[in-house]
Amino acid sequence: MKRILCAILAMVLVLSLAACGGEKGPSFEAGVLYAGYGRAVINPKMSTPLGGYDSNDMRMHVSIIDDLMATCVALTDGDQSFLMISTDAVRSKGTWTDAVRAKVTEEYGIPGENVMLMASHSHSAPNTNSKNPAMAEYEKIFVDGCMEAVRLAMADRAKATMYQGSVQTEHMTFVRHYEMNDGTVAGPNFGTWASGIKGHVGRNDPEMILVKFEREGDDKKPILMMNFQAHTTMTGGAEKLDISADYVGVCRTYLEENADVLFAYYLGACGNQPPNSNIPQENNQMPFAGQLPTGDRDYISYGTALGLYAQQALPNLTKVEHKPGIQTTTKVVTLPTNKNQPMDRVNDAAVVVDVWNSQGRDAGNAKAQELGFASVYEANGMMNLGDLPDSNDIQVWATRVGSLYFVNAPYEMFSENALFIKENTPANTMVITQSNEAWGYITDKKAHEYKCYENFGFNFCPGAGEELAQTMVDLLKTVG
């Protein structure tokens, strides 16, 4: 809470300064949209712990498959600018976001609240929450890379026309928990072709939202923004030790080579939606059959399929008249935790967590099931209950840049709550997660009812996800 309050006070000061002198740099015509693009490599230089599976730094990277990137899209109208920085990171970290915002404000006079920093959630990227000494060096690489992308994007700005649209993908994602015919709940991730399934625990959101900026100037390629929701886990795994941007990097390469665009990816509500990595087993229903690379590297086929979906949709995007102005607003939501749950199994939970830390997640899960826990996460959550506050403060954002609307939230949201937001906001509103600060899941009521594992260890009470979604809907109504 202290960090959030400090950030808000800093933004108020910056807004006051901006009101006196405006942003630093060249002048831009008011009521006209400008867009710029920049990108920089953010690979670690030394072995770092990988995030996404174990919190105990057991996965130290040994090689780099493909580059991690920081990508910035700079949008300007008159003396207002908004920066959307997307990184190939497992999650955003609040202090790193603060550092980037402070540097942007110092160099350009742009208020911190007009800078959004999002993560693609690659499970083959450094663990931003690790206390390993290597992460101190990586923090500098990350912040410097974000700033290099910002500088390139700010220098690249040109008059732009916006086009928007969406496409409903098929067989690309699914809800990873299942209600079985025998009344039990199974999952996650054992595939939609398994027998005995009555239905999924929640709705899948297959929508890909696309926003393209056509720009003036012979040397200015179009910028394509994609908002899609699938866990970025295809190159990751408890035993995999490679750095990779995962399917996002493949999609980026495909579109830039085949559609002649500059690509930026913004992760949607992927909390309960993995990529359907087993598509070839689904009766050969793989989208774009015959057009995809063959072999056992599923992330390449998956990223290529996403690129093909976007490429196919590009001619059908609709031109959107620019609505002058940039407006953004934020709110801190106080959400109750599970602190008051019974703690009668703490000793058993401690045994499970000890096995997890010493022998890895698979061994920890085996011990968890032996002692009656759903997973290591439930045991870890039981261990943490005594240290929980009564509530946690979550900061969310709503923004309009011209005719582009989006909301930003930390945490891994569930699809049901993201669909509620989309159903109650303007068409093509982007729901962007893993933003500015992020750790863990925020689920929905049905996930609590079925005791899905994502509830454990992150400790929000039933209804917290719905409250967060309603807050973002209400916020978006205030930005015009």
Side-chain angles (χ1 to χ4, degrees), residues 66-83:
D66 54 85
D67 289 331
L68 304 179
M69 297 288 188
T71 301
C72 178
V73 175
L75 302 172
T76 296
D77 181 339
D79 63 354
Q80 295 179 297
S81 291
F82 198 92
L83 305 183

Side-chain angles (χ1 to χ4, degrees), residues 119 121 173-176 203-207 227-232 247 265-274 407 409-422 429-435 441-442 444 469 472:
H121 201 39
T173 60
F174 60 98
V175 173
R176 63 185 177 186
R203 291 182 292 167
N204 179 50
D205 180 6
E207 183 181 36
N227 178 219
F228 188 69
Q229 42 288 330
H231 250 85
T232 320
Y247 69 78
Y265 183 82
Y266 300 97
L267 182 69
C270 72
N272 58 340
Q273 287 196 185
V407 291
Y411 292 89
E412 299 172 48
M413 290 183 67
F414 268 37
S415 56
E416 194 69 43
N417 290 330
L419 287 167
F420 171 82
I421 295 170
K422 290 182 177 183
T429 293
M430 292 187 179
V431 179
I432 304 174
T433 62
Q434 294 286 341
S435 298
Y441 298 94
I442 185 161
D444 56 31
M472 287 190 280

